[in-house]
Amino acid sequence: MSYQREQQIAAIKQAIEEEVAHDYLNQFIDAPYIDEDRILLLISSLAGQPYTEHEVKQFVATAMLIQIALDTHEKVTNANENQKSRQLTVLAGDYFSSLYYKLLAGVHNVRLVGILAEGIKSVNEYKVRLYQFDDSDAETFVGHLKKTESAIITKFMQFFGSQPLIRLSEELLLFNRLLREKEQAENGKRSILFEALNKMAYPGDGRPFDQLPHEKKRKLFYICEKYLKESIRALQAAAMSCGNEMLSERIRLLMGRYGDATRLYAEEG
């Protein structure tokens, strides 16, 4: 990745961090996750278009804040948190939502507002399906997970005429989400993916994932690895057809890190 693009990503990330910073909220809830790969995808979709650097920054920050607000509201389902933390998480999601409305007002693009609203509606519909996974198979569940991750960026790219990047974006965002879900499960944190896999694999057990015996956990990690490997193949195919060298470079780096992490996990057993 070029130094100029790295600087652009860092500047946008810093601007978002400054927007979402809130001293009181930060005392009780984790700072929101700001996905640099998502920023890179959004910037890439605007490359070569007649927008100023300020406009690009506003467009990208707006889409990122929408995703952050949606992701924050999703955390409210964690029953392990105390009531105050849950209430503040709801308020944080609402607060981040107000920030992207503020940025949208500064963009002065009514059509973009409507398109992103469609994306929000789509994300929420797929999240409902994720939490109604009793009758779903793992393949369907992962498909819904992909849509929750990519619906906003897909609408964004359609609006700006960057359709060739959509497939790559969907696969990259799914791969990153699967990795995060796996890492959360490994670290004893809540994972909606492993909750679903647990119910599908062991419908009569009733125990949460963190209380399962080692062998049952190992089977679920094996299933997750299966979907990660499928995601890798789809991502590599999308990168080859996309022809964006900067994104291809980023994907090669991710593949290398994933391979290192997989080997370490296998060694630790």
Side-chain angles (χ1 to χ4, degrees):
M1 189 186 305
S2 70
Y3 177 76
Q4 182 179 3
R5 184 54 54 88
E6 288 179 351
Q7 291 294 101
Q8 188 179 20
I9 291 171
I12 293 174
K13 183 177 181 180
Q14 182 179 348
I16 295 168
E17 287 172 339
E18 291 171 358
E19 284 284 351
V20 301
H22 192 290
D23 291 340
Y24 182 72
L25 290 176
N26 291 346
Q27 293 178 44
F28 299 96
I29 63 174
D30 294 334
Y33 171 65
I34 301 173
D35 187 350
E36 292 186 12
D37 285 333
R38 194 180 294 270
I39 295 175
L40 174 60
L41 290 167
L42 290 164
I43 291 172
S44 298
S45 72
L46 295 170
Q49 301 209 35
Y51 298 111
T52 66
E53 186 173 339
H54 174 73
E55 287 173 322
V56 169
K57 187 176 180 180
Q58 289 289 96
F59 290 146
V60 172
T62 297
M64 289 296 298
L65 282 169
I66 291 174
Q67 192 67 48
I68 288 168
L70 291 166
D71 291 346
T72 301
H73 278 139
E74 184 178 335
K75 295 177 183 177
V76 180
T77 58
N78 191 344
N80 295 325
E81 294 180 340
N82 61 49
Q83 184 178 10
K84 182 172 185 178
S85 180
R86 286 162 62 84
Q87 290 172 338
L88 287 172
T89 302
V90 173
L91 289 174
D94 293 342
Y95 173 62
F96 300 149
S97 297
S98 71
L99 293 177
Y100 73 67
Y101 283 121
K102 182 186 79 171
L103 285 179
L104 279 174
V107 167
H108 303 298
N109 194 318
V110 176
R111 283 188 58 234
L112 178 59
V113 174
I115 291 294
L116 293 177
E118 291 177 11
I120 294 169
K121 178 174 177 288
S122 181
V123 170
N124 287 327
E125 287 173 349
Y126 278 106
K127 283 189 176 182
V128 169
R129 296 178 191 179
L130 285 177
Y131 287 99
Q132 295 175 340
F133 53 69
D134 289 343
D135 298 325
S136 298
D137 56 69
E139 199 80 34
T140 301
F141 186 88
V142 171
H144 293 337
L145 200 62
K146 177 193 282 190
K147 292 298 183 183
T148 64
E149 286 296 307
S150 60
I152 297 297
I153 207 167
T154 294
K155 289 292 184 183
F156 186 94
M157 290 180 172
Q158 287 172 343
F159 179 81
F160 287 105
S162 300
Q163 283 85 346
L165 288 177
I166 290 176
R167 181 186 167 207
L168 176 62
S169 300
E170 289 179 342
E171 300 301 342
L172 177 55
L173 294 173
L174 174 62
F175 176 75
N176 281 343
R177 177 63 185 264
L178 291 174
L179 272 184
R180 291 200 303 276
E181 293 291 327
K182 181 188 173 191
E183 289 168 0
Q184 286 168 203
E186 288 172 344
N187 295 323
K189 297 181 180 178
R190 175 180 177 269
S191 163
I192 186 175
L193 173 62
F194 278 80
E195 285 180 3
L197 293 178
N198 184 16
K199 288 192 176 184
M200 293 174 202
Y202 311 117
D205 192 302
R207 286 175 292 183
F209 173 79
D210 61 348
Q211 294 179 19
L212 292 176
H214 179 74
E215 284 307 312
K216 286 192 171 183
K217 284 183 178 180
R218 194 170 184 84
K219 179 181 176 181
L220 298 184
F221 278 114
Y222 176 81
I223 296 171
C224 180
E225 284 294 335
K226 169 180 172 285
Y227 285 104
L228 273 166
K229 288 174 182 176
E230 289 180 3
S231 178
I232 287 172
R233 288 192 289 270
L235 182 54
Q236 289 173 330
M240 288 179 64
S241 63
C242 175
N244 186 305
E245 182 54 37
M246 193 173 297
L247 288 172
S248 296
E249 177 189 340
R250 174 58 184 162
I251 290 165
R252 286 193 292 271
L253 179 62
L254 285 173
M255 296 302 100
R257 289 180 179 173
Y258 167 69
D260 292 341
T262 301
R263 284 190 293 273
L264 179 61
Y265 178 76
E267 289 168 3
E268 293 178 346

